[in-house]
Amino acid sequence: MDEFIRLTIFGLVSASIYFVAASGLVLTYTTSGIFNFAHGATGMMAAFVYWELRFNPDGPQLPTLVALVVVLGVLAPLFGMVVERVLIRNLQGASLATTLVVTVGLLAGLIGLAQTIWPPEQRRFPGFFGDSGFEFLNTFIRWSQAITILIAIGVVIALRLLLYNTRAGVAMRAVVDNRDLAALNGAPPSRVSSMSWAMGSSLAALGGILLAPVISLEIIALTLLVVNAYSAAMVGRLKSLPLTLLGAVILGLLTQYEPSYLPRVFSDDRLPDWLTGLNVSVPVIMLFVVLLILPAAPLRGARLRKSARIRVPGLRTSIVGGGLLVAAALVASGLLGDQDLRRVGEGLALGIIMLSLVPLTGYAGQVSLCQFMLAGVGAFAMAKVGETGSPLGLLAAVALAAAVGAIIALPALRLQGLYLALSTLAVAVLADNMFFPQREVFFSGTIPIGRLDLGFVDFSSDSAYFVLLAIAYALVAILVLSVRRGELGRRLLAMRDSPAACATLGLDLTRTKLTVFALSAAIAGLGGALYGGLKVTVGPTDFQMVLGLPILLLAVLGGIATASGALVGGLFFSLLLIISDEVSALDWLVFIGPGLVGVTLGRNPDGLVPTVSARLHGLRDRLRGRAEPSAAPSPRRILDGLGPDVPVGAPLAPEQLRALDDALGIGAVDGGRQGAGEAKEVGSGAAPRG
Amino acid sequence: MPPDGAGAAPVLELSGVRAAYGRIEVLHGVDLAVGAGQVFALLGPNGAGKSTTLKVISGQLPITGGQVCLTGRVVNGAVPERLAQAGVCTIPEGRGIFPSLTVRENLQMMTFSGRPRSMIEEQAYARFPRLRERRRQVAGTMSGGEQQMLAMARALTTDPALLLLDELSMGLAPLIVDELYEIVGQIAREGISILVIEQFAATVLAVADVAGIMLQGRVVQVGTPDEMQTALSGAYLGGGG
C-alpha cells in the first residue's frame, strides 16, 4: 500500500509537469491553429538559460526567484512573441506541410543552437530546496515535488480565471471560435495570438525548468518532453484544458506504475529483454493509442490552395535528367577528394530518402515524420540479408520497409493531417526506444552493411559506390515522376485536393493511402540500405527521429513536390556537412542550417526548385518574345455589355435584363441555357463565397 | 425619394473598387454610396460579389484598386479590428456569434467597441429578454433565431456608424426573418446607416430606402426599392421585356 501511495504521489508530480507543458501547447494551438513542434525545445532552451543564470559556476548565480522571473516573466514570453510575430503570423492559411516545417525547423534550429552553446557535459541542476523534504503518508516527499504539484494547481486556477473571467481570456476563446468574427468585434486577433504565444512559451519554459532536475539537463531528453505534452494534450484533442489535465494525470500515473507493476506480470519479476525500452516509451504509446481512439474526422472537401504550378517533366526529360546526373557523378567521382566524395554521397543517399516524401507529402499531402526510421528498417534488412552486398539485400530492404510502411499506414488511415504527422512521430520515437536497440537489430554495437555487388560490377570502392548512388537516385526519380504522370499520381493529387470528392467518385481512399505509404516506405528503405552501405556500419542511434528532421526540412526546401527538389535538398545537406567538417565550431550546422531553412519556408512554401523553375521559364518566354500571361485569364463575363457605364438609376435595357436573367440561371429563352451554364461556372469559379 | 443626406459626404462610398481572391478578380469596379441614415439593400444572385463587397468594406479583404471611404475619409487597407472600433459593425453570413462562448461572454466581446459592459448587457437584455434568461447558456446551443438575435444585439448596443448585414435570412424561418427585419427597421429609425445584402428581395425591400443590383462583380443598377422590385421580377419572370 505504501508503495502504491508513493507511486501515486510521484505520478501526480510527473502529471503536474506534463500538464504545465501541455497547457501551453493547447493555448498556442487553439488560438493560432499552428501546432508548435518546437514547444519542448522552447522548454529545453529555457531550462538551459535558467541553469546559466542560476547554477552555472561561471555565471551570475542569481537567486532562484530572480532567475525564475527573468526566464519565465521576461525571456520566455519575449521569445514566444517574437516567434509568433516573425514565423507564425505569416502562416495563416498555409498548408499543413508548411506549418509543420516551420515549427520543426525551429525545433531543429533550437537543438543545434543549444548543442553549440552548451556542449554535452555534467551540469548540476538541483530542484527547488535541493533534497530536503517532508514525510507524508509514510512517504518522503521533496519540497520540489510538492512545489511542482502546487504550481500545476496554480496554473489550472490561473488559466481558468484568465480564460473565463477576463476580457482578454474571453477574446482568446473567441479567436478560437471564429478568428474573423473576433476581428469584426474589434478584438485584434494578432494581439490575442501574440499574447497566447507569450504565455505558451512561458508555460513551456516552466515545464522545462521543472523537468530538468527530474531527468537531468539533457538537450534531446528535454526536447522530447514535448511528446509527453502531446499525449496529454491529445486526450483533450488539443482543445480542452480540463481533458488535457486528465490526460496528464493518466500519463503521469502510467509512467510511475509501469516500471514497478508491469515486471510483476512476468514470472521472474523482470521485463523480458525485448521490452527494455518500454519504460521511456509509455508517453509515445499513449499518444498512439489516444490518436487511434479519437473519432475519425469527417472527410474534408476541396480547399483553395495557393501554390505555384509545378511542371511535371515527361519521360524523355526525366531520363535525360537522370542520365545527366549519372554523368555528372562519374565526373565528380574523379574530381572530389575522399572526404568530400563521402559527404556528397551522403547527400545523394539522403536525397533518395527525401524522394520518398515526394509521392507521400508532395503529391498526396500526407506528412510523415518517420521516413528516416523506415530508412533504418531498410538498412537493417540490408545488413541481415545483404551483408555481402547481394542484390537480394536491396530487395529485402525495399520489401521490409514497404511492409512496415503499410503496417504503420493501417492505423493512420483514419487520421488526417496533423494527427497523422503526430502518429508517425510516435512510431519513429517508439522505434528509437524499442526497435533499433533490440539485440536482434543493432543492439548497442554497430553492424556492418554490405555494398551492392552485382557479380559483373562491384560497387565496393568509394567512387564506384558514389556513382551507384547517383544511378539509384536517377532511377527512383524517374519512377516517382512516372507515378506522378500515371493513374496513381492523379489519384494522389485528387485525394490531396478533396478526399470527400474522391470518396463520392468511388475512389478507394484506403487502398490509395496504403499504396502511397508502401511506395514511399519502399523508397525510404532503399535509400536507407544504400545510406547504410555508404557508412559501412550502422548502429542503433543512426536512425533516430531527431536526426531525421533535417530530411523533411530539406526536402521541403528543395520543393516537396518535385523530384529534383530532393536532390537539391540532399546536396544542400552535403554542403552543410562539408562546412562543418572544415570548421569544427560549426558541428551542429546540420541542425541549425535546416532549422533556419525551415523557419524561412513560411514565406516561400513551394520550395526552391519550383520557384527557380518558374522564374527560368518566365525568363525564357520573355527572351523568345512571348507575352507573359499577366494573370489567370479572367473568366469571360457574359455581362460585359452592362459595364459600369450604365447610368445609375436607369431601367435595364431588354438585353441587359436577358443577361441578368441568364446570370440568375432562370432563363429558358433560346440560347439562354448556354449562358446560364456559363454564368454558373463563372460564379463558382470566381467567387467561392458569393 | 430616399433621403440621401444632400451635401454631406455619404457614410460609405465605394468608387471603382476592385478585389481579388488570389489571381481571380471578383470585384471589377464597384461603385456604391450609402447616405447618412439610409438603408441600402444590395441584391444579386450567388457569386455576384455581394459578400466580397462586404468583406472589402469591413477590411477582411484588401482591395486591389479603387477607393473605400467612410464619411469622406479613405480607409483603404484598414484592418477589420480598427474599422470595428471606429464604428463599422459587421454581422457576417451565418450566425455572427461565438458558438462556444456563453451569451454573456458573447456580449462581453462587444465591449471591444469601447462601450462599457453594463450598458451593453442592459440594452441587449431590454430588447431581447430571452437573452437574459439564457445568459449563462453556451451560445451555440441556442436556436438559430436566438443566435441571430444575439448577433443583432451587437448592432443594437454598440451604436455603430455603419451596420453591414450579410444574408440575415439565411437558414431561418420566415417568421423569424420578419422579426429580424423589424429590428433592422428599428435600428434604421435611430439614424444608423445600414447596408444589407440579400439574395431574396421581398422582406428587405420593405425596409430599404435604396436598393442596388449586383451582377458579375459590379453594381449594375441602383434605384428605389419599387424600381428594383420591378426590375427583379422582370428578370425572375424570364420575360425580359
Side-chain angles (χ1 to χ4, degrees):
Chain A
M1 193 60 202
D2 276 357
E3 189 196 13
F4 180 75
I5 290 173
R6 184 175 59 84
L7 291 176
T8 305
I9 292 176
F10 289 1
L12 290 178
V13 173
S14 312
S16 303
I17 300 175
Y18 301 151
F19 174 74
V20 168
S23 64
L25 194 67
V26 171
L27 211 57
T28 50
Y29 178 67
T30 48
T31 50
S32 60
I34 308 293
F35 188 81
N36 187 7
F37 272 90
H39 194 70
T42 308
M44 176 272 294
M45 280 301 274
F48 272 94
V49 171
Y50 178 78
W51 173 84
E52 194 68 52
L53 296 175
R54 175 78 186 86
F55 297 119
N56 186 1
D58 307 322
Q61 305 216 4
L62 298 175
T64 305
L65 265 183
V66 179
L68 277 179
V69 168
V70 171
V71 174
L72 300 181
V74 183
L75 296 178
L78 213 60
F79 177 75
M81 283 162 84
V82 170
V83 167
E84 194 275 338
R85 183 71 199 87
V86 179
L87 303 180
I88 306 301
R89 202 172 290 180
N90 302 318
L91 288 178
Q92 286 300 325
S95 76
L96 177 76
T98 310
T99 65
L100 282 188
V101 161
V102 169
T103 57
V104 168
L106 186 62
L107 162 65
L110 286 178
I111 290 179
L113 192 64
Q115 300 270 22
T116 312
I117 306 178
W118 298 286
E121 65 174 69
Q122 203 64 39
R123 289 190 179 81
R124 209 177 63 88
F125 198 120
F128 304 122
F129 300 104
D131 288 335
S132 60
F134 58 93
E135 283 280 330
F136 176 73
L137 294 176
N138 279 338
T139 309
F140 180 77
I141 298 170
R142 288 193 195 141
W143 285 112
S144 58
Q145 294 174 318
I147 288 174
T148 302
I149 293 186
L150 288 179
I151 285 177
I153 295 173
V155 168
V156 171
I157 295 172
L159 282 178
R160 171 83 205 177
L161 285 178
L162 171 84
L163 290 177
Y164 288 85
N165 292 40
T166 67
R167 192 176 74 161
V170 171
M172 275 185 174
R173 289 163 52 221
V175 166
V176 176
D177 255 13
N178 188 336
R179 198 180 175 86
D180 292 337
L181 186 61
L184 292 177
N185 268 282
S190 52
R191 215 164 63 210
V192 169
S193 67
S194 173
M195 198 175 117
S196 72
W197 275 75
M199 286 175 47
S201 173
S202 220
L203 287 167
L206 184 57
I209 292 173
L210 291 175
L211 192 67
V214 183
I215 63 167
S216 87
L217 193 60
E218 207 267 307
I219 290 174
I220 302 294
L222 280 174
T223 302
L224 288 183
L225 153 71
V226 79
V227 177
N228 305 9
Y230 296 160
S231 328
M234 198 49 78
V235 174
R237 304 189 82 179
L238 298 174
K239 284 189 199 118
S240 151
L241 280 172
L243 284 177
T244 301
L245 179 61
L246 175 72
V249 170
I250 295 175
L251 179 62
L253 293 177
L254 276 182
T255 49
Q256 291 296 331
Y257 292 154
E258 185 272 327
S260 298
Y261 291 131
L262 192 64
R264 295 186 198 167
V265 177
F266 299 94
S267 51
D268 51 353
D269 269 7
R270 55 188 289 270
L271 285 179
D273 278 346
W274 64 273
L275 276 179
T276 351
L278 193 63
N279 246 340
V280 273
S281 303
V282 170
V284 216
I285 295 174
M286 172 161 156
L287 174 61
F288 203 67
V289 170
V290 173
L291 280 168
L292 289 187
I293 297 176
L294 281 179
L299 289 180
R300 87 180 150 70
R303 199 163 38 193
L304 269 180
R305 282 168 45 91
K306 278 182 268 172
S307 75
R309 208 183 150 69
I310 292 167
R311 289 165 207 246
V312 184
L315 183 62
R316 216 182 48 169
T317 318
S318 36
I319 291 176
V320 169
L324 282 177
L325 174 68
V326 175
L330 271 171
V331 175
S333 69
L335 294 177
L336 289 174
D338 281 354
Q339 173 86 343
D340 288 350
L341 197 63
R342 178 116 29 86
R343 290 317 196 187
V344 179
E346 214 167 307
L348 277 177
L350 291 178
I352 298 175
I353 304 177
M354 289 179 205
L355 269 181
S356 75
L357 284 167
V358 172
L360 187 67
T361 310
Y363 301 161
Q366 316 275 335
V367 178
S368 157
L369 294 171
C370 65
Q371 294 312 103
F372 206 45
M373 182 277 271
L374 291 167
V377 170
F380 160 72
M382 184 72 191
K384 296 294 169 190
V385 181
E387 209 174 336
T388 54
S390 144
L392 281 179
L394 283 188
L395 283 182
V398 168
L400 184 66
V404 173
I407 291 172
I408 294 172
L410 270 182
L413 288 174
R414 307 170 52 250
L415 304 171
Q416 292 177 25
L418 176 65
Y419 290 178
L420 177 63
L422 281 175
S423 74
T424 57
L425 175 102
V427 170
V429 176
L430 195 63
D432 284 357
N433 295 334
M434 297 196 63
F435 175 66
F436 292 129
Q438 291 289 339
R439 192 183 298 279
E440 287 75 22
V441 187
F442 300 129
F443 196 45
S444 52
T446 55
I447 52 173
I449 291 196
R451 291 183 172 182
L452 185 66
D453 182 356
L454 287 176
F456 54 96
V457 263
D458 178 12
F459 293 101
S460 59
S461 81
D462 273 1
S463 52
Y465 200 73
F466 180 79
V467 177
L468 171 71
L469 287 173
I471 294 173
Y473 185 95
L475 289 178
V476 175
I478 291 169
L479 169 78
V480 166
L481 284 171
S482 45
V483 164
R484 168 66 183 82
R485 288 190 307 269
E487 197 256 337
L488 178 61
R490 280 197 302 279
R491 270 198 282 154
L492 294 179
L493 260 68
M495 187 173 75
R496 179 190 71 188
D497 284 349
S498 173
C502 288
T504 56
L505 284 171
L507 190 150
D508 187 347
L509 287 178
T510 309
R511 208 177 47 136
T512 309
K513 264 193 197 175
L514 270 182
T515 314
V516 69
F517 261 93
L519 171 71
S520 158
I523 297 175
L526 176 72
L530 292 171
Y531 177 70
L534 182 76
K535 301 195 79 158
V536 185
T537 60
V538 288
T541 54
D542 278 344
F543 293 99
Q544 279 182 336
M545 183 277 289
V546 178
L547 298 179
L549 294 180
I551 290 188
L552 174 69
L553 297 176
L554 293 175
V556 178
L557 161 77
I560 190 85
T562 62
S564 37
L567 183 65
V568 172
L571 292 181
F572 188 83
F573 194 76
S574 312
L575 187 68
L576 293 176
L577 286 173
I578 291 172
I579 295 176
S580 60
D581 282 343
E582 300 293 327
V583 192
S584 60
L586 295 179
D587 248 4
W588 285 93
L589 199 65
V590 287
F591 269 110
I592 299 184
L596 286 179
V597 163
V599 297
T600 50
L601 273 172
R603 290 172 200 273
N604 183 15
D606 288 320
L608 278 179
V609 169
T611 312
V612 172
S613 126
R615 293 262 164 83
L616 284 181
H617 279 286
L619 190 68
R620 194 185 63 187
D621 290 349
R622 224 174 309 156
L623 288 179
R624 288 186 186 168
R626 238 186 266 162
E628 206 179 339
S630 56
S634 73
R636 263 329 286 159
R637 298 187 293 273
I638 54 164
L639 291 171
D640 263 354
L642 278 172
D645 48 349
V646 173
V648 167
L652 292 174
E655 70 273 14
Q656 291 172 330
L657 274 175
R658 204 166 307 131
L660 175 62
D661 187 38
D662 290 345
L664 292 168
I666 308 162
V669 204
D670 49 348
R673 190 165 299 157
Q674 199 191 344
E678 196 179 340
K680 259 185 208 147
E681 204 174 284
V682 167
S684 61
R689 315 289 309 265
Chain B
M1 279 306 285
D4 55 13
V11 171
L12 169 71
E13 188 168 21
L14 269 59
S15 31
V17 166
R18 293 174 173 274
Y21 290 108
R23 288 158 72 179
I24 302 164
E25 194 176 79
V26 184
L27 301 183
H28 313 294
V30 172
D31 298 296
L32 186 134
V34 181
Q38 260 185 358
V39 177
F40 191 116
L42 189 57
L43 308 167
N46 237 346
K50 305 184 303 294
S51 293
T52 307
T53 307
L54 199 126
K55 275 190 184 162
V56 158
I57 302 170
S58 60
Q60 291 171 279
L61 187 72
I63 60 176
T64 53
Q67 193 163 289
V68 181
C69 290
L70 286 177
T71 58
R73 282 166 53 199
V74 181
V75 294
N76 291 2
V79 290
E81 56 264 29
R82 289 289 299 136
L83 288 170
Q85 288 160 5
V88 178
C89 177
T90 315
I91 314 278
E93 194 178 11
R95 323 262 173 263
I97 59 152
F98 301 103
S100 58
L101 267 52
T102 64
V103 169
R104 196 149 176 265
E105 286 167 340
N106 264 284
L107 293 174
Q108 193 178 8
M109 283 303 289
M110 299 171 192
T111 61
F112 279 99
S113 63
R115 295 204 122 195
R117 188 176 183 178
S118 55
M119 193 190 270
I120 285 179
E121 287 194 28
E122 198 177 299
Q123 284 186 11
Y125 296 154
R127 183 62 188 77
F128 305 111
R130 199 109 56 97
L131 291 183
R132 184 200 297 278
E133 290 164 30
R134 298 182 178 260
R135 64 186 181 280
R136 286 181 208 290
Q137 189 173 337
V138 175
T141 62
M142 300 196 302
S143 74
E146 286 165 341
Q147 291 184 21
Q148 202 58 287
M149 280 173 193
L150 179 56
M152 289 297 287
R154 183 148 57 90
L156 279 168
T157 59
T158 57
D159 190 26
L162 173 66
L163 175 59
L164 307 172
L165 295 170
D166 194 357
E167 303 264 354
L168 210 51
S169 61
M170 207 170 74
L172 293 176
L175 215 62
I176 294 170
V177 175
D178 289 345
E179 198 178 334
L180 284 172
Y181 271 107
E182 213 169 281
I183 299 166
V184 173
Q186 186 191 339
I187 296 173
R189 282 194 290 282
E190 288 171 21
I192 295 170
S193 313
I194 307 177
L195 176 63
V196 198
I197 284 171
E198 277 291 351
Q199 227 182 107
F200 302 102
T203 331
V204 66
L205 285 179
V207 295
D209 300 312
V210 195
I213 294 179
M214 192 160 190
L215 279 179
Q216 304 293 326
R218 289 197 184 90
V219 176
V220 291
Q221 199 185 11
V222 175
T224 65
D226 286 346
E227 286 166 11
M228 291 305 106
Q229 182 82 55
T230 325
L232 274 177
S233 54
Y236 275 82
L237 289 173

